[in-house]
Amino acid sequence: MSSAFRKVAIIGLGLIGGSLAAALRARGLADSIVAGGRSARTLERGLALGLIDAGYQDLAKAVDGADLVFVAVPVSAMADTFAAMAPGLAPGVVITDGGSVKGAVIDAARAQLGAHRSRFVPGHPIAGKEKSGVDAADAALYERHRVILTPTPETDPAATLVVRQMWTRVGAEVLTMRPDEHDRVLAETSHLPHLLAFSLVDTLARQGDSTEIFRYAAGGFRDFTRIASSDPVMWHDIFTENRDAVLAATDLFAAGLARFRDAVAAGDSDALLGVMTRANSARARFLAMNARTSYTHIYAEQAMNTDSQRTGSENAANPVFVVQPGAQLSGQARVPGDKSISHRSIMLGALAEGVTEVEGFLEGEDALATLQTFRDLGVVIEGPHAGRVRIHGVGLQGLQAPSRSLYMGNSGTSMRLLMGLLAGQPFDCELTGDASLSQRPMERVARPLRDMGAAVSTTDSGGKGTPPVRIRGGKALKGIDYDLPVASAQVKSAILLAGLYAEGETRVTEPAPTRDHTERMLAGFGYAVQRDGASVTLSGGGTLRACHLDVPADISSAAFFLVAASIAPGSELLLPHVGINPTRTGVIDILRLMGADITVENERDAGGEPVADLRVRSAPLKGIVIPEHLVPLAIDEFPVLFVAAACADGETILHGAEELRVKESDRIQVMADGLLALGVDAEVYPDGIRIRGAGQGNAAFTGGEIQSHGDHRIAMSFAMAALRASGEIRIHDCANVATSFPGFAELAARAGLQLVVA
Ligand code: NAP
């Protein structure tokens, strides 16, 4: 195979140039590699290290006959270097560079490279070390690092392609940007932090007692100032050659620093917490973006860094649950907060007067998207930390215009509810989501909002009316009397939230009961809501009062433990503070029909929601025909109910549950596949399943391997099956468990399940 290049000339054989020579050599990408440089010693070192085949102090000689030239001298030396090598450049040669500033290098190339300038591709590898010189050269320096190319309109696209391929082949990821954009972004993200680090260390070192200061300096000082060890000459050049962008970034920072200083001086806690909580979440977002991971992982990691106890489970890329057979469950298990209620706690807390304290908040991806959105709308929110959030409410009229689009991730609840809430604001905004949310229909929310006088537009995408959703502010809304065409808690909630801003009464009537968390929580925040049969009515212009909210534990998550303690002989488990909203309790009704021993203790109200402690003791279960009217009230709990059915005496039959086929997976088929793999007698129907149970006293499952297809509820259900298995069960693809049930593995293990995460 022939090499990519006949001859590559590296001009400036230091860290950056030497590393490219080493990387090309290691991959056999050039027949010959030569260097040009000012000092004979460096060139000799390059030869001795085996990086180059020849070295020249005459740069025109060095580039003679080369098909690729890479210039890696300090930015201030670029112009002289280009001038010195220009006479030796062959026709058609591609020239690129590694300078950290692009505008100045492009000017130098225009002035010195003559006709070759269209074959000059400006570039900047975002890779480096604090060490410099040829001895620091490293063949792996560019692997999995970014290289920014900044071609100008006069750059030949064929030359850009050659350079792009070269960097890709040494393991880098290539991006392109406009040169001025590059210089601005780098000034803000790299040059400014270096300036601050140099300045901080120098400022403190000038103090009379600097030795004392440094002696007691803690780890934070070392971390913050690490980059003050970088090469002064190179950084001198960068600050000089990127002067304007560095000054603009420094001014921006100085203004922010002055605001921070003022807040400290004035003891303005809201402003201080605002800066720091926004910085926390912006950094989490930045880390998530860089790691191409989710907020959930970042917050879980942050929590683990500060909590001594770590779950260790949901952080591996694709964890496998390994569960040993048998065991009893005992003690208490507080399962995470309800997702629907977590969303609404942030929304209403933000719109309330005063500080709302939330406990039991579900730190899942979707609720975190809502939390981030309200930060973008100017609300100060502390946390989440171990389920605790403090929301500094701004009142119904206190939201501020966001400085960019509001990003809802994958959360349909966030987008639909916020459409209603934002329809009545004085400012414009745009709501966007990830690829999957961008396919979901939003018109059924937009239409009634328009009837109220809102200016809401969706994106057509084939008539589906999808995100991005754009809302023009400053519209006077008026109340409506709306009959929901289809039962939907999200549409109902969006209209009610818009109704808070509307003149007069807003009434929504639903064709069938849906989750009523919004109405209940509005009442919990002291807002007058009238409920009359299938209708809910409220009037605009009221006030929400901050409150303390202990988010009820999610009954869908509690369901795994209700089944687990029922099927594992000798178990008794208490599940505290579980939401028992009557629109959600089908799982308790079905389990009781099967003979489960579940008692509902200590019923009470939490922010408008009924909650109770559920005590469950193991009991012999019997197979039943599941009443169809209970199906919608337990739709998310069927995977684990199938596990209960496999342990029961006799057959359990389910019909009328076709919706299960369009959840995160085809839950009928995927559960049936798993049950069959574990030796259970099951038969699939288009709208349900028949399962023959093993009966009390018998192992209901063999051991085996389960594919969860990334469906969190399938994974958790089969983990519980091990309680009645005869061998080890291994469940694959469990990463998504963190989305609905952070800390599941740890909680289940504490209750007695013999589960480890591999
Ligand atoms: P380096 O290790 O110090 O190497 C610099 C090279 O340039 C050496 O070969 C040096 O020659 C030569 N040189 C220095 N001053 C010169 C002058 N006045 N005239 C001609 N040649 C001169 O520096 P580096 O880190 O490789 O940086 C090279 C370029 O890459 C710079 O433009 C820098 O902005 C850019 N860059 C650096 C990093 C980083 O983190 N280090 C990252 C990305 C981009 P001698 O060997 O004879 O001294």
Side-chain angles (χ1 to χ4, degrees):
M1 206 180 81
S2 69
S3 308
F5 301 103
R6 257 188 344 273
K7 173 177 172 182
V8 176
I10 308 279
I11 308 301
L13 195 65
L15 168 70
I16 294 298
S19 295
L20 184 64
L24 293 171
R25 178 129 288 180
R27 290 168 176 77
L29 293 173
D31 293 340
S32 111
I33 302 176
V34 304
R38 59 178 181 175
S39 81
R41 273 197 54 192
T42 300
L43 299 173
E44 279 159 21
R45 254 336 260 157
L47 281 165
L49 291 167
L51 298 173
I52 53 170
D53 302 305
Y56 305 89
Q57 284 176 284
D58 178 343
L59 302 189
K61 266 212 183 105
V63 301
D64 183 30
D67 43 0
L68 180 76
V69 175
F70 178 59
V71 188
V73 298
V75 175
S76 63
M78 289 279 181
D80 288 347
T81 303
F82 288 153
M85 69 188 208
L89 292 169
V93 59
V94 172
I95 308 152
T96 185
D97 78 307
S100 305
V101 176
K102 295 309 352 143
V105 175
I106 290 168
D107 289 345
R110 280 191 180 130
Q112 306 298 341
L113 288 180
H116 290 285
R117 66 191 203 188
S118 68
R119 310 274 292 168
F120 173 65
V121 183
H124 177 200
I126 310 294
K129 298 180 178 178
E130 276 88 53
K131 289 195 183 123
S132 52
V134 66
D135 285 295
D138 175 357
L141 186 69
Y142 304 116
E143 283 171 17
R144 291 181 300 282
H145 280 76
R146 297 195 170 125
V147 173
I148 302 174
L149 301 183
T150 62
T152 66
E154 63 189 327
T155 312
D156 178 354
T160 306
L161 186 65
V162 169
V163 175
R164 172 184 280 277
Q165 284 172 344
M166 185 275 289
W167 282 116
T168 309
R169 293 176 83 165
V170 298
E173 182 193 346
V174 179
L175 315 173
T176 50
M177 267 188 190
R178 283 200 328 268
D180 59 331
E181 193 189 356
H182 168 278
D183 287 355
R184 180 183 59 78
V185 169
L186 268 289
E188 289 167 0
T189 57
S190 168
H191 307 172
L192 176 64
H194 278 84
L195 183 148
L196 298 180
F198 285 126
S199 167
L200 177 65
V201 177
D202 176 55
T203 305
L204 295 184
R206 284 159 169 261
Q207 301 283 84
D209 53 355
S210 66
T211 328
E212 283 303 289
I213 293 174
F214 293 139
R215 179 171 299 155
Y216 298 118
F221 181 79
R222 178 188 287 264
D223 290 349
F224 185 83
T225 57
R226 177 181 58 81
I227 49 180
S229 305
S230 302
D231 180 23
V233 175
M234 173 176 134
W235 282 96
H236 161 272
D237 276 17
I238 290 174
F239 294 137
T240 318
E241 302 290 341
N242 199 22
R243 181 173 173 274
D244 291 349
V246 168
L247 290 180
T250 309
D251 290 348
L252 198 68
F253 175 76
L257 189 63
R259 281 196 302 274
F260 206 146
R261 189 187 182 286
D262 288 349
V264 174
D268 184 343
S269 302
D270 269 12
L272 283 173
L273 287 167
V275 171
M276 291 180 287
T277 51
R278 280 195 303 275
N280 273 177
S281 69
R283 190 161 186 279
R285 184 185 284 220
F286 155 77
L287 292 177
M289 249 162 47
N290 265 2
R292 295 189 177 75
T293 164
S294 59
Y295 287 124
T296 340
H297 286 109
I298 296 298
Y299 281 111
E301 247 167 50
Q302 281 180 350
M304 276 195 309
N305 288 340
T306 40
D307 289 356
S308 52
Q309 36 170 297
R310 55 169 294 163
T311 65
S313 54
E314 283 81 35
N315 293 297
N318 207 351
V320 177
F321 287 172
V322 182
V323 202
Q324 300 307 319
Q328 297 178 341
L329 301 192
S330 60
Q332 289 203 11
R334 168 103 190 221
V335 305
D338 185 284
K339 179 162 114 173
S340 307
I341 299 173
S342 295
H343 278 296
R344 288 158 173 85
S345 69
I346 299 292
M347 294 182 188
L348 300 194
L351 298 179
E353 311 272 347
V355 177
T356 292
E357 311 252 1
V358 180
E359 287 179 67
F361 175 79
L362 174 70
E363 295 177 37
E365 193 71 3
D366 288 4
L368 290 173
T370 293
L371 190 145
Q372 181 59 41
T373 301
F374 279 91
R375 283 195 172 129
D376 293 345
L377 291 164
V379 181
V380 173
I381 303 175
E382 296 172 64
H385 180 70
R388 280 191 305 280
V389 183
R390 287 185 95 220
I391 309 156
H392 297 245
V394 295
L396 275 172
Q397 309 302 335
L399 296 180
Q400 291 165 21
S403 56
R404 55 182 167 180
S405 297
L406 298 168
Y407 179 68
M408 312 284 150
N410 185 34
S411 176
T413 306
S414 309
M415 185 164 292
R416 297 207 174 97
L417 269 57
L418 275 154
M419 282 170 70
L421 200 155
L422 292 169
Q425 303 300 329
F427 49 79
D428 298 350
C429 52
E430 183 183 63
L431 285 65
T432 60
D434 70 4
S436 139
L437 182 57
S438 299
Q439 293 303 313
R440 311 232 303 259
M442 296 295 148
E443 265 303 307
R444 60 189 172 141
V445 182
R447 231 172 283 126
L449 293 176
R450 280 184 211 116
D451 292 347
M452 297 176 81
V456 182
S457 63
T458 57
T459 304
D460 188 300
S461 39
K464 281 206 305 191
T466 54
V469 174
R470 292 184 184 82
I471 300 174
R472 223 155 7 91
K475 300 284 169 192
L477 305 189
K478 52 188 187 314
I480 51 167
D481 190 344
Y482 191 71
D483 285 330
L484 282 179
V486 250
S488 160
Q490 290 179 351
V491 182
K492 174 177 66 174
S493 299
I495 298 170
L496 292 175
L497 291 172
L500 299 176
Y501 291 91
E503 193 193 323
E505 270 191 3
T506 296
R507 175 180 295 114
V508 187
T509 306
E510 50 189 359
T514 62
R515 295 182 181 189
D516 60 357
H517 303 302
T518 303
E519 311 73 302
R520 284 175 181 272
M521 200 185 286
L522 279 168
F525 275 82
Y527 206 96
V529 177
Q530 290 92 45
R531 305 180 65 174
D532 181 12
S535 298
V536 196
T537 310
L538 56 74
S539 298
T543 309
L544 294 163
R545 284 191 309 275
C547 62
H548 180 103
L549 206 69
D550 193 355
V551 175
D554 193 332
I555 191 162
S556 299
S557 301
F560 299 104
F561 290 90
L562 293 176
V563 169
S566 297
I567 62 173
S571 297
E572 175 172 342
L573 196 61
L574 185 72
L575 302 167
H577 201 74
V578 179
I580 51 163
N581 185 308
T583 58
R584 304 283 299 281
T585 47
V587 63
I588 297 181
D589 300 336
I590 293 171
L591 281 172
R592 280 181 169 161
L593 288 173
M594 296 176 78
D597 179 358
I598 300 171
T599 49
V600 176
E601 300 174 358
N602 197 11
E603 276 188 62
R604 57 202 182 272
D605 173 279
E609 290 282 340
V611 297
D613 305 329
L614 304 182
R615 186 178 300 280
V616 54
R617 299 183 181 87
S618 53
L621 301 182
K622 58 180 190 298
I624 59 166
V625 176
I626 294 173
E628 286 204 23
H629 75 273
L630 290 179
V631 171
L633 306 182
I635 197 73
D636 287 334
E637 290 75 64
F638 278 112
V640 78
L641 283 170
F642 295 175
V643 169
C647 300
D649 195 6
E651 277 191 349
T652 295
I653 295 176
L654 170 69
H655 279 295
E658 47 278 274
E659 198 192 327
L660 285 179
R661 293 201 178 269
V662 293
K663 293 283 181 179
E664 281 86 333
S665 68
D666 175 346
R667 285 188 175 155
I668 294 178
Q669 194 57 53
V670 172
M671 278 305 295
D673 292 346
L675 292 171
L676 292 170
L678 300 180
V680 177
D681 174 2
E683 181 190 355
V684 162
Y685 306 131
D687 66 340
I689 196 166
R690 177 192 61 75
I691 297 167
R692 172 167 292 282
Q696 183 75 349
N698 301 317
F701 308 92
T702 62
E705 305 271 329
I706 296 293
Q707 300 302 331
S708 74
H709 294 265
D711 186 332
H712 51 119
R713 295 202 196 281
I714 305 276
M716 291 185 277
S717 300
F718 280 112
M720 296 313 190
L723 291 162
R724 287 284 294 279
S726 57
E728 175 186 284
I729 297 182
R730 296 175 69 88
I731 305 150
H732 297 272
D733 209 0
C734 295
N736 288 338
V737 167
T739 61
S740 73
F741 200 145
F744 167 77
E746 186 193 42
L747 191 67
R750 262 212 312 264
L753 191 73
Q754 301 184 66
L755 170 93
V756 292
V757 182

